[in-house]
Amino acid sequence: MKISELVDQIAHTTKTSKAETRAMLDALVSTITVAAKNGEEVNLPELGKFKVKDTPEREGRKPSTGETITIAASRKLTFTPAKALKEALKASV
């Protein structure tokens, strides 16, 4: 589903304008982004959790030469689906 289709569906369901709906979705994404930058977890009960995972610096190998390299530490955003979402997906099979 594209963002335009998502906006259309939500606007129809909530009886709001497409512009208002798009602004709300943009605000949601912005809020989750700021929370992730601050290392905070965002929990949307029927959807799931967005959580930041810190990956420490580690050694790896360059595939082409086999040379040992250092892979820098990084932060990744992970998503864990809520139980309700998992159950809904199982039911649709």
Side-chain angles (χ1 to χ4, degrees):
M1 178 180 282
K2 296 179 183 179
I3 188 72
S4 60
E5 295 167 335
L6 182 62
V7 168
D8 289 345
Q9 183 66 37
I10 294 171
H12 176 74
T13 303
T14 60
K15 296 179 177 46
T16 56
S17 73
K18 290 180 185 179
E20 290 172 322
T21 303
R22 180 61 194 239
M24 286 186 272
L25 281 174
D26 289 344
L28 175 66
V29 170
S30 176
T31 302
I32 291 172
T33 301
V34 170
K37 285 182 181 179
N38 293 331
E40 298 173 21
E41 182 178 294
V42 176
N43 185 12
L44 302 172
E46 296 297 314
L47 184 63
K49 287 183 190 177
F50 292 92
K51 195 161 56 170
V52 176
K53 179 180 178 184
D54 292 316
T55 305
E57 185 177 274
R58 62 194 191 280
E59 280 190 4
R61 297 221 178 256
K62 208 179 224 184
S64 58
T65 63
E67 173 188 355
T68 301
I69 58 171
T70 301
I71 300 170
S74 64
R75 298 176 80 194
K76 294 177 174 44
L77 185 64
T78 62
F79 175 74
T80 305
K83 183 178 179 182
L85 179 58
K86 287 181 188 178
E87 293 299 321
L89 290 174
K90 284 182 188 176
S92 67
V93 175

